[in-house]
Amino acid sequence: MVQLAAEAEKENPLIPPWPELVIGLIAFVIVFGFLAKKLLPTINKVLEERREAIEGGIEKAEAAQTEAQSVLEQYKAQLAEARHEAARLRQEAQEQGATLIAEMRAEGQRQREEIIAAGHAQIEADRKAASQALRQDVGKLATDLAGKLVGESLEDHARQSRVIDRFLDELEEKAEAAR
């Protein structure tokens, strides 16, 4: 038992025996060499491709963002120009509308004045025609009445017209003086 205890003290369980250590080290170098020669280049290649894709994607995204910003600025400028043009057209339409309204009012006023003047002229013509017809009727009635009173026919038209005109003129003068 003492010998077992001494042997146990000699062997440390944390330190492996030398032959196992050498075999493990050789196996590790073989596996590491195999991984370094075969697997590691493939892994590095895939990682490099991913890095390039990410960097290319970032560059593309930055370029797209720059282009989008440029297009946005162009659209904003076009929109501002379109708004300005719309305001100008609206102003022109309002001015044309005001001018058209003024022209139509002037034309309406002119037509109204023409209608009123034509109405006055027609009324004056109708008044003169009525006055003339009234003179003739009154003259004929007066002549007939005078002929019946006198007992003779007063058929001399020239004399008849002068007498009637003088009589009616006197009546008109009296009517105007009374006003």
Side-chain angles (χ1 to χ4, degrees):
M1 216 161 97
V2 175
Q3 192 179 10
L4 279 175
E7 208 175 283
E9 280 182 15
K10 230 176 163 185
E11 286 186 28
N12 187 351
L14 295 177
I15 299 176
W18 283 103
E20 285 180 18
L21 189 59
V22 170
I23 290 174
L25 187 59
I26 291 172
F28 177 76
V29 168
I30 290 173
V31 170
F32 183 77
F34 174 75
L35 290 177
K37 293 283 185 186
K38 298 289 183 180
L39 195 58
L40 193 59
T42 306
I43 292 173
N44 284 337
K45 182 180 174 186
V46 169
L47 289 176
E48 183 65 26
E49 287 175 358
R50 279 190 183 172
R51 185 186 60 77
E52 288 175 1
I54 290 171
E55 287 177 358
I58 290 172
E59 290 173 2
K60 286 179 185 177
E62 287 175 353
Q65 185 176 7
T66 303
E67 184 178 346
Q69 187 66 28
S70 172
V71 170
L72 178 64
E73 292 300 322
Q74 288 176 352
Y75 285 145
K76 284 182 180 179
Q78 288 175 350
L79 181 61
E81 184 178 330
R83 285 182 179 160
H84 179 69
E85 182 69 17
R88 185 185 63 79
L89 290 174
R90 191 176 321 117
Q91 180 66 27
E92 285 180 7
Q94 287 176 347
E95 290 172 0
Q96 288 176 354
T99 303
L100 185 60
I101 289 171
E103 288 174 359
M104 295 304 285
R105 281 185 182 158
E107 179 66 20
Q109 186 70 21
R110 185 188 61 77
Q111 288 178 354
R112 184 179 135 242
E113 294 299 324
E114 287 177 1
I115 291 170
I116 290 172
H120 286 299
Q122 184 64 39
I123 289 171
E124 185 62 27
D126 289 346
R127 187 187 66 74
K128 285 182 181 179
S131 176
Q132 186 66 25
L134 185 61
R135 278 181 179 251
Q136 288 176 358
D137 290 343
V138 169
K140 184 164 179 28
L141 288 174
T143 305
D144 290 343
L145 183 60
K148 287 182 182 178
L149 287 176
V150 173
E152 290 183 23
S153 175
L154 301 173
E155 292 293 326
D156 184 14
H157 289 293
R159 180 185 291 162
Q160 181 182 359
S161 291
R162 284 191 307 268
V163 170
I164 291 170
D165 286 340
R166 189 177 65 231
F167 176 71
L168 290 176
D169 287 339
E170 289 175 5
L171 284 177
E172 284 180 3
E173 287 174 10
K174 287 179 183 178
E176 287 181 14
R179 286 185 199 173

